[in-house]
Amino acid sequence: MSKNLHSVTLDSEKCKGCINCIKRCPTQAIRVRNGKASIIDERCIDCGECIRVCRNHAKLPIYDPLSTLDKYKYKVALPAPALYGQFNYLDNIDIVLNALLSFGFDDVFEVAKAAEIVSDRTRTIMEEDKALPHPLISSACPAVVRLIRVRFPELLSHLLPLNAPIELAARMALARVQAARPDLSREEIGIIFISPCAAKVTATRNPLSTERSEVDAVFAIKDIYPHLLSFMKTIALTGDEDIPEVQGAGRMGISWCGSGGESTALLSENYLAADGIENVIKVLEDLEDERLLELDFIELNACVAGCVGGILTVENPYVANTRIKKLRRFMPISLNHFTEAERGKIGWETPVRFDPVLKLSSDYSEALEKMQRLKEILDGLPGLDCGSCGAPTCATLAEDVVRGGAKESDCIFKLRDYVRGLVSDMNRLEGFIPPPFRAPDEPEPGQC
Amino acid sequence: MPKNLKLHYDISGEDYTRAGEASAQLKQVLRQLGLSSSIIRRVSIAMYEGEINMVIHANGGTIDVEIDSACVSLILKDTGPGISEIDLAMKEGYSTASESVRSMGFGAGMGLPNMRKHSDYMKIDSTPGVGTTVYMKIALGEE
Ligand SMILES: Nc1ncnc2c1ncn2[C@@H]1O[C@H](COP(=O)(O)OP(=O)(O)OP(=O)(O)O)[C@@H](O)[C@H]1O
Ligand code: SF4
Ligand SMILES: [Mg+2]
């Protein structure tokens, strides 16, 4: 798979080349070129901010259409817990899970179930593995992992080296199907994630901490939502006793969909949970400067309020979180007491490595020279960060110039200065028209 | 031989909430230069502590950074109250921070010791009533 595959695409018809998205991108990964926004692949972390901010709906998340279901003989749904927060008046998770079965899935495996196992393992690691750096940073939000990879290399070692619940869920679900139906080939089985977020699409198609993801397709919560609604109405009418029990997770797993959920499952008070990409960056900056070292765990979610705020959801994230709180009220703390053998592979298989995309050159003295030029160019720019050049800030334009991707005259103020210079040159030149071409009444230059 | 890179930062003593911005900006530059994580960390912690001290104890000042092929040099200059007993100030845990400063999480008396720990060379010139200048150098090693 390609190294820089992302979950955001551009509808060029709709893109008006405004500067909303370039301003919002936390890694300065977007430029406007030839009137259209374009993403610098290596810098994109899939946080979805550009999709959220685009008023023309020109930035689109990539995921699979519901029709993908037909490709598989045996289909397993992996619903993210954020799904449960989307429905009003829902008081029994089994209603949603059964609706997934009615929709056409053959089996359901809750991501929340795997989340409980990840929490369980995290608790053990924090108690036993004293060699791990302190504090640990959650690795469940793929946008955060990618952000750390490009911007905070010194914090890579703090990442919890466990696969995210979705990956664990996929493996466990697959193992369950393969045990029950040995007649099916891998290709006939479809492990399908019902996702709140686009970053997780990239994480399954182009995973960082494992060679291959077992997730075969990703559906958006907002796509499947209306279909589930209609099935849910029918199921709800059956009466609770007659609804088949499918639910496989307790409070702990379900709470993972909101900011702070993963932390509370660690049964320690000594944590910090930050949500929203800008807050996440602030926390990482602090951590990088050796502040916050007294904490045991840091939970970071790129989306405001946590995964319930993912771009593929329907409901306002705060409303969704309140619903989840009500839903979980009478639920057991956890439903997962697995033996070691039942658990899928949980640790990272490949380490997540630093990706030095911000470096100006791989040669230090060349980088120093470029930085010198960058500074000179920047000193000459107006410092308005107006975005008219297609770069988010004057500093980014200066950086693009030294990297060779832009010209100083892309700055409209610089351009104006050039044009003014040209105009005065033209005027001066005009005075030097040779005598044969001069108008009869025009005096020689210098004469009155 | 490339020219040395010189950067200048004015540190305002008016606004506590902006303390630390200059070190964050320098960090960005060091990252773009591709310096190793451990160097970046050392430089930014050393500068951060110095910057905070200037804001908290000396009402702001200036920071001049010079980067060449061998090291990062920092000069932090202020016209604050000065430090009368430098040896004492350098002791871990020594602080004259006021209660209100402490309530913001500063005043553990760890700033100067941290600066010494993270720099390869450090010197303080200070005259009470005139001001303080802190010189630090961090060598780049194999960079
Ligand atoms: N630039 C300065 N001007 C005047 N006094 C200073 C300056 N820098 C440090 N000091 C003095 O030295 C003392 C020790 O400084 P240090 O940075 O080690 O601790 P602190 O600033 O009090 O607390 P912390 O840095 O842990 O938040 C300060 O309390 C202050 O009295
Ligand atoms: S917070 Fe959750 S929904 Fe948002 S990007 Fe991260 S994993 Fe996806
Ligand atoms: Mg201090």
Side-chain angles (χ1 to χ4, degrees), chain B residues 76 83 97:
Chain B
L76 300 90
I83 306 172

Side-chain angles (χ1 to χ4, degrees), chain A residues 140-143 196-197 199-200 301-303 306-307 310:
Chain A
C141 173
C197 113
K200 284 175 174 158
N301 286 288
C303 296
C307 294

